[in-house]
Amino acid sequence: LFSSSSAGQGNAGSIRVQADESVRLTGSLISSDLGLTDQERQLQPGGELARGQVGAIAINAPSILLENGGFITAAVLSGTATQPGVVSLQGRDIAFLNDDVRATGIFTNVFPGATGTGSDIRIEASRLTTRRADITTSSAAIGNAGNMTLNVNEQLTLTRGT
């Protein structure tokens, strides 16, 4: 688990991963969040809105694999007014492969009770492969979902529910 978050006034920090050969997330998480979950807000009623920016998440490696519950998230949580971050992956071979019931992929969400724009997703690869995984940006609150940009030079393979 790599996590950067802010529940008050201020930005969540950025997370940068640079590898010479590969990055592999199996059943693990990299996240940057701003605000509190609904459960946390119930424990702290009447608090101020969190304000700030979701931190950027950047991964750069020749090979990037998220599998069986490995995921990256940049979220705007309940009770938050925010600016978005960016989730960016850059590599030769990028794959999101899931043979599990757990979520696998990239998720940038604006949750109910928040105000702000969702974080963008940018993927640059020679080959991008997904199997039963998600690349999702969404908003269930006041504000737009983030933008998604996929730049794939050679081969894009989407399989089984992506």
Side-chain angles (χ1 to χ4, degrees):
L1 166 71
F2 289 107
S3 179
S4 173
S5 64
S6 175
Q9 307 300 309
N11 300 330
S14 295
I15 299 172
R16 292 183 184 3
V17 178
Q18 174 75 41
D20 291 334
E21 292 184 21
S22 67
V23 172
R24 183 176 182 171
L25 289 175
T26 304
S28 189
L29 162 71
I30 296 176
S31 74
S32 178
D33 302 322
L34 192 70
L36 300 171
T37 65
D38 285 337
Q39 191 173 33
E40 291 168 333
R41 287 202 59 76
Q42 289 175 4
L43 297 173
Q44 299 177 15
E48 289 186 36
L49 290 178
R51 295 186 186 279
Q53 182 169 343
V54 175
I57 299 173
I59 300 175
N60 189 333
S63 175
I64 301 171
L65 173 62
L66 280 66
E67 65 179 348
N68 300 333
F71 68 98
I72 298 168
T73 180
V76 180
L77 303 173
S78 178
T80 304
T82 186
Q83 297 296 313
V86 175
V87 175
S88 64
L89 276 64
Q90 185 173 15
R92 183 180 59 244
D93 295 301
I94 298 176
F96 307 135
L97 308 174
N98 192 18
D99 295 314
D100 201 332
V101 295
R102 296 174 288 178
T104 299
I106 300 175
F107 306 88
T108 65
N109 305 316
V110 180
F111 285 92
T115 301
T117 301
S119 295
D120 293 342
I121 298 173
R122 297 179 187 150
I123 299 176
E124 294 184 30
S126 295
R127 290 175 292 280
L128 174 61
T129 303
T130 68
R131 181 182 69 233
R132 294 181 60 205
D134 296 296
I135 303 170
T136 303
T137 180
S138 67
S139 177
I142 299 170
N144 298 323
N147 297 307
M148 185 182 311
T149 304
L150 305 176
N151 291 320
V152 181
N153 299 355
E154 293 177 21
Q155 183 176 1
L156 173 63
T157 305
L158 307 175
T159 308
R160 295 179 65 191
T162 301

